[in-house]
Amino acid sequence: MSPRHLVRASSDGSFAVPPGYAEHTRGFRRWIVVDEAVGAVHTGFSIGELEPDGFISHHVHSYEESLFVLEGEVVLRTPGAGVRLGRGDYGVISIGVPHVLRNDGSATARWAAMAAPQPRAAMGGDTHFIPSFPEADATAIDVRDPRTRSFGHIDPGNMDAARQTQDMLAASASMRTALLVYSGITVKMMIDRELGADHLTMFMVQYDPDGLAGAHDHPFEETYLILEGEVDGTFDGEPYHLRAGDIAWAGVGCVHSFTNPGPGVVRWLETQAPQPPTRHSYRFARDWDHLRERSMLE
């Protein structure tokens, strides 16, 4: 582990009941992957799992939290509202919003969670359990309903540039942002300010075979959860081969790059914290190398 990056294989997963949760949950475990203990200062990234008939009782956070469901189904309720989140569903919970999570299904639910500002161990993980509130019936996400403000859904088909028809867009992850396609790379935004987030972003990235992103760094932290395929990544000069289930984190100033060795696509979930600035989000090494070379010739 470098002070500016971290790579964890899916086999490294270590799930446990978080400190302070034991009396307020049943069947919940979390693998904390990125936090202050690994050198991050903005990111709290974890994988949570909740057994059938399990719950996390009513609570609030002093951080913003986003969820992306990987397996199973989980019910999220806030005062006066309830939503049933299945595979491919995602959402954001604003700071201080009371909520409760339950698994009413027959299979274990698993999700990726991103928290920003970063939870602090010295503050009890910045989570506070509160008295219960009346729980509303839960409904599935309807991405076409204009009242759906904080949730969405994404499928691999939403990443296919050839399928961005009007019918497909009507049931896509979002009509707020267009699909970004360049250099064999496809990007689809999921959570940002448009969905109500203030501190983080979450989006999907797909590389076609031979897709390439040159060496660059950012003024923010990024986390990558590989969902499909395999990718070669380099972080501050150290090479890694990442497979489905693996997780990587790049801190501020960590120079990183990716290539897809093929033959199939590689797809991953990516998060950023804090949110990128309006300008100069990327610093590509090739551009500054070009300037250096020109300066030597002049």
Side-chain angles (χ1 to χ4, degrees), residues 111-122:
W111 63 88
M114 169 65 181
Q118 185 184 78
R120 301 162 293 180

Side-chain angles (χ1 to χ4, degrees), residues 224-243:
Y224 322 86
L225 167 60
I226 310 303
L227 299 174
E228 177 184 352
E230 301 182 13
V231 63
D232 291 326
T234 300
F235 297 85
D236 276 337
E238 298 183 37
Y240 297 91
H241 187 75
L242 299 159
R243 300 176 174 83

Side-chain angles (χ1 to χ4, degrees), residues 99-277:
H99 57 287
V100 57
L101 288 165
R102 301 188 186 279
N103 183 354
D104 298 334
S106 59
T108 296
R110 179 174 287 201
W111 63 88
M114 169 65 181
Q118 185 184 78
R120 301 162 293 180
M123 302 299 292
D126 286 289
T127 296
H128 305 270
F129 291 94
I130 59 174
S132 63
F133 51 78
E135 298 184 19
D137 292 338
T139 59
I141 292 174
D142 182 354
V143 297
R144 297 190 63 185
D145 189 330
R147 296 171 298 177
T148 302
R149 300 285 185 178
S150 302
F151 301 94
H153 178 83
I154 191 167
D155 285 321
N158 298 132
M159 306 301 294
D160 186 346
R163 298 180 62 188
Q164 302 307 300
T165 63
Q166 191 64 38
D167 288 344
M168 186 67 177
L169 286 171
S172 73
S174 167
M175 291 192 67
R176 297 181 303 275
T177 55
L179 197 67
L180 179 62
V181 182
Y182 65 99
S183 186
I185 304 169
T186 306
V187 179
K188 181 69 174 179
M189 181 57 66
M190 296 159 57
I191 295 174
D192 58 7
R193 290 192 184 277
E194 290 285 343
L195 210 70
D198 295 302
H199 295 275
L200 59 87
T201 68
M202 177 180 283
F203 51 99
M204 196 68 68
V205 178
Q206 180 172 296
Y207 277 42
D208 293 332
D210 300 323
L212 167 68
H216 63 282
D217 69 322
H218 307 285
F220 46 80
E221 299 177 346
E222 291 189 320
T223 305
Y224 322 86
L225 167 60
I226 310 303
L227 299 174
E228 177 184 352
E230 301 182 13
V231 63
D232 291 326
T234 300
F235 297 85
D236 276 337
E238 298 183 37
Y240 297 91
H241 187 75
L242 299 159
R243 300 176 174 83
D246 295 347
I247 300 171
W249 166 79
V252 173
C254 171
V255 178
H256 53 283
S257 62
F258 299 100
T259 58
N260 178 7
V265 301
V266 60
R267 185 168 49 88
W268 69 72
L269 182 75
E270 186 166 334
T271 70
Q272 299 167 330
Q275 289 187 354

Side-chain angles (χ1 to χ4, degrees), residues 57-69:
S57 63
H58 308 75
H59 61 286
V60 298
H61 304 297
S62 62
Y63 54 79
E64 191 171 83
E65 181 179 29
S66 64
L67 307 175
F68 174 71
V69 179

Side-chain angles (χ1 to χ4, degrees), residues 17-32:
V17 178
Y21 277 64
E23 297 180 0
H24 306 281
T25 187
R26 180 174 64 224
F28 174 63
R29 296 175 297 274
R30 175 186 289 163
W31 174 23
I32 299 175

